[in-house]
Amino acid sequence: MKEAIDHLVAESEDLDVMVKSDDGSSNPGLTKEEQSVLEAIRNKPGYALRTIHKQAAEQDDSPLGEYSGEWDDDRKKVQELVHRLETKGLVSNEARSWYPAEHPKVN
């Protein structure tokens, strides 16, 4: 019984770094910050970095700092996260606008 509980605890910790895509598949290895930014991009495809930052920061359980509207360390962090997601093939950029990889605008 203890082994089963330990296994469930280990699995739940792994789920903390996963995000479900619209089609139900998982993207393993995403941090909570990356998940937050990816969710913001999925909710508002085609928006610029400042809007993504605002959307991500306003999420109920967002790990990101408050949105100030300024180009500050928080915005630089969001920019870094967006580029990481792009490297992972989860988002794409077109003319300073960010889209989820599955969005028809980028396919």
Side-chain angles (χ1 to χ4, degrees):
M1 180 71 148
K2 182 178 179 339
E3 288 178 35
I5 292 171
D6 290 342
H7 178 73
L8 288 174
V9 169
E11 279 186 11
S12 70
E13 289 171 357
D14 290 343
L15 292 176
D16 287 343
V17 295
M18 296 177 74
V19 64
K20 294 282 185 187
S21 66
D22 293 337
D23 64 0
S25 62
S26 296
N27 295 307
L30 293 183
T31 66
K32 288 187 181 274
E33 290 173 329
E34 289 170 329
Q35 289 179 33
S36 183
V37 170
L38 181 58
E39 182 180 332
I41 293 171
R42 285 186 173 149
N43 289 337
K44 290 226 175 214
Y47 281 83
L49 188 62
R50 72 178 177 283
T51 302
I52 294 165
H53 180 196
K54 183 176 183 192
Q55 289 293 312
E58 290 177 349
Q59 294 169 1
D60 289 337
D61 58 348
S62 177
L64 301 170
E66 272 190 43
Y67 176 76
S68 69
E70 300 295 322
W71 184 264
D72 55 12
D73 288 341
D74 289 332
R75 178 77 55 83
K76 290 175 189 174
K77 177 69 175 178
V78 172
Q79 181 183 41
E80 176 188 319
L81 294 166
V82 168
H83 287 291
R84 273 198 248 161
L85 292 170
E86 182 180 32
T87 301
K88 293 178 181 187
L90 298 173
V91 299
S92 186
N93 181 276
E94 184 177 309
R96 295 187 182 177
S97 299
W98 291 94
Y99 298 89
E102 67 274 3
H103 194 274
K105 178 77 174 171
V106 295
N107 290 328

